[in-house]
Amino acid sequence: MVAVPRKPDATPIVVLVSGSGTNLQALIDAAADPAFGVRIAAVGADRDGIEALARARRAGIDTFVLPVTDFPDRAAWDAALAECVGAHDPALVVLAGFMRLAGPAFLARFGGRTLNTHPALSPSFPGMHGPRDALAYGVKITGATLFVVDEGVDTGPIVAQVAVPVHDDDTAETLHERIKISERAMLVEWVGRLATAGYSVDGRRVVPGSAPHPPDPKDIP
Ligand code: GRF
């Protein structure tokens, strides 16, 4: 069982991105309100020149970029990613459209406290093309899934899901854009809840607010 405790102050998170960063922007906007209880300590990416990094820089957030091709192999990249994220000492890591799999070194350090969002209703349609695959299958309802990252592809314990209708005239793009509206709202709601209330992961169940809180120093004899 993994327990991520509630933090008394704004909870530092690191967000990892690869693309347009609309999910990141939703978190940036939410974190502007101190009541949200979350501070984005840094934004990391596996490529430069993406809008997600521009969004972070405009918001004055520290950024780092680690292209896989700058490293001799995946293990070296994975270790460097763990180091860069760890330098910001986050309570949570949020993968928001980060198109890389976390490797063993990263999971050894951040397993249980890394969240990812996937534009499909897990366990259906894992992988890079959730909206396209849902459309091709002919489902009438799809959605988005927020989960705790494990070593699989979109297989980790589920934090939350949101359902989204498929329209008859949808393309993969229109469907994905509709999913992303609900996905962003779900991400903001649950990152805020988990960061401020803590949570436990017990097998496949994510239990919000159930982590032991750190003792108040004045209560320690
Ligand atoms: C999201 O739908 C996410 O689930 C998927 O890629 C999309 C990222 O969108 N992996 P954005 O970069 O946050 O706009």
Side-chain angles (χ1 to χ4, degrees):
M1 174 153 122
V2 177
V4 176
R6 177 184 66 85
K7 288 268 191 174
D9 304 316
T11 302
I13 69 170
V14 168
V15 184
L16 300 181
V17 293
S18 297
S20 62
T22 63
N23 281 282
L24 167 66
Q25 188 67 55
L27 289 170
I28 291 172
D29 294 347
D33 180 355
F36 188 54
V38 171
R39 176 174 66 82
I40 304 176
V43 171
D46 63 330
R47 62 199 73 179
D48 212 344
I50 55 174
E51 179 59 18
L53 283 172
R55 291 176 191 274
R57 289 170 183 148
R58 283 197 293 272
I61 299 169
D62 273 3
T63 60
F64 58 87
V65 182
L66 294 173
V68 175
T69 48
D70 283 4
F71 295 86
D73 53 29
R74 288 296 286 237
W77 174 80
D78 183 47
L81 181 66
E83 272 308 303
C84 282
V85 170
H88 297 278
D89 200 21
L92 284 179
V93 183
V94 178
L95 312 189
F98 187 59
M99 305 310 264
R100 300 278 172 191
L101 278 182
F106 185 88
L107 288 175
R109 201 152 160 190
F110 298 106
R113 53 195 176 110
T114 299
L115 307 178
N116 193 6
T117 170
H118 176 58
L121 288 177
S122 298
S124 297
F125 313 121
M128 302 277 280
H129 302 290
R132 185 195 72 184
D133 294 347
L135 196 60
Y137 196 90
V139 296
K140 301 300 182 193
I141 302 281
T142 185
T145 301
L146 182 69
F147 62 97
V148 179
V149 172
D150 65 8
E151 59 288 338
V153 177
D154 303 322
T155 53
I158 292 169
V159 173
Q161 293 186 298
V162 59
V164 174
V166 180
H167 295 176
D168 289 342
D169 59 353
D170 264 334
T171 63
E173 291 71 30
T174 59
L175 177 57
H176 194 179
E177 286 308 313
R178 187 176 317 109
I179 291 169
K180 283 173 66 171
I181 294 168
S182 300
E183 185 180 30
R184 289 189 286 265
M186 175 180 68
L187 181 70
V188 166
E189 177 188 345
W190 282 94
V191 167
R193 283 172 78 161
L194 298 185
T196 53
Y199 65 97
S200 303
V201 182
D202 186 7
R204 286 210 53 86
R205 295 197 57 233
V206 179
V207 189
S210 52
H213 295 173
D216 189 321
K218 72 176 169 15
D219 294 335
I220 301 172

